[in-house]
Amino acid sequence: DGAGKRGKEVRAQLRRVAPASVSHISYIYERAVRRFPKSLTLWKDYIDFLKGENAVKALNSVFGRVISLHPKKEVFWIEAAVYELFENSNAAAARVLLQRAKRANKKSKLLWTKYFELELWYSARNVQRRTVLNIEHNYEDKEKYLASQIVFKHATKAIPEVAFACNLHGL
């Protein structure tokens, strides 16, 4: 009985200390990224730490800062969009992030591909939702399915390579 009580006390103390340690580690990362803002590995480690701690507010702030400092680094744009889509369940925010990313990186095959994938995923999700809700699919109403076609058209116009177009078509 005494060992069980002691274990509960230790766990309670750890629960009280954990938020302080997360805050302290975040403070150290903040100092580090201010001192070494060009270190992409440091930014990536900071983002991974915040994701692990589920620090949504801090993570949104860090994504904003790293993207403003490194707008040509596609990986941060994509990571922010994926986080918005899957962790925050916000497809509109993910779409806006990828649109901004494309403006900053007009010829990025990776960003165009990810944006096209997002639109395909969104269309497929809408079809699934309609199936679950037992709503009739009207594939003749093309306005609901045009987003991915429009992205394909603009992507192939921005990057007029046959291999790129074939890659997108394969998706």
Side-chain angles (χ1 to χ4, degrees), residues 71-126:
K72 298 293 184 187
K73 299 298 179 188
E74 302 154 327
V75 66
F76 294 118
W77 288 103
I78 293 168
E79 195 165 348
V82 167
Y83 183 78
E84 280 296 331
L85 184 62
F86 294 113
E87 298 301 321
N88 293 341
S89 300
N90 192 343
R95 181 181 285 129
V96 167
L97 276 165
L98 289 176
Q99 288 170 345
R100 286 179 52 208
K102 289 187 307 90
R103 278 187 227 117
N105 302 281
K106 293 182 185 343
K107 300 289 182 185
S108 170
K109 293 177 186 176
L110 180 61
L111 286 172
W112 276 108
T113 302
K114 292 298 179 185
Y115 185 50
F116 185 63
E117 286 175 353
L118 170 71
E119 292 301 341
L120 288 175
W121 174 86
Y122 194 73
S123 293
R125 191 180 82 170
N126 283 338

Side-chain angles (χ1 to χ4, degrees), residues 12-163:
Q13 287 174 345
L14 286 173
R15 280 193 299 272
R16 287 191 297 271
V17 171
S21 63
V22 169
S23 182
H24 184 68
I25 293 169
S26 292
Y27 172 74
I28 292 169
Y29 270 118
E30 282 295 326
R31 288 185 64 198
V33 295
R34 273 196 304 261
R35 177 89 165 94
F36 305 105
K38 293 183 179 179
S39 173
L40 302 180
T41 305
L42 186 57
W43 281 105
K44 179 75 172 112
D45 290 345
Y46 188 18
I47 289 168
D48 290 343
F49 169 73
L50 291 174
K51 280 182 176 177
E53 295 301 322
N54 201 23
V56 176
K57 191 173 181 181
L59 193 53
N60 287 335
S61 171
V62 169
F63 273 134
R65 289 193 348 248
V66 72
I67 285 170
S68 69
L69 285 171
H70 302 286
K72 298 293 184 187
K73 299 298 179 188
E74 302 154 327
V75 66
F76 294 118
W77 288 103
I78 293 168
E79 195 165 348
V82 167
Y83 183 78
E84 280 296 331
L85 184 62
F86 294 113
E87 298 301 321
N88 293 341
S89 300
N90 192 343
R95 181 181 285 129
V96 167
L97 276 165
L98 289 176
Q99 288 170 345
R100 286 179 52 208
K102 289 187 307 90
R103 278 187 227 117
N105 302 281
K106 293 182 185 343
K107 300 289 182 185
S108 170
K109 293 177 186 176
L110 180 61
L111 286 172
W112 276 108
T113 302
K114 292 298 179 185
Y115 185 50
F116 185 63
E117 286 175 353
L118 170 71
E119 292 301 341
L120 288 175
W121 174 86
Y122 194 73
S123 293
R125 191 180 82 170
N126 283 338
V127 168
Q128 287 175 339
R129 187 177 289 151
R130 288 175 164 277
T131 302
V132 167
L133 296 173
N134 209 14
I135 298 172
E136 186 178 323
H137 298 289
N138 183 1
Y139 293 106
E140 302 305 316
D141 186 10
K142 293 183 180 182
E143 290 180 18
K144 293 178 182 166
Y145 305 99
L146 275 181
S148 54
Q149 293 172 355
I150 292 169
V151 171
F152 182 86
K153 182 178 119 184
H154 287 286
T156 54
K157 185 185 277 187
I159 304 169
E161 296 176 10
V162 173

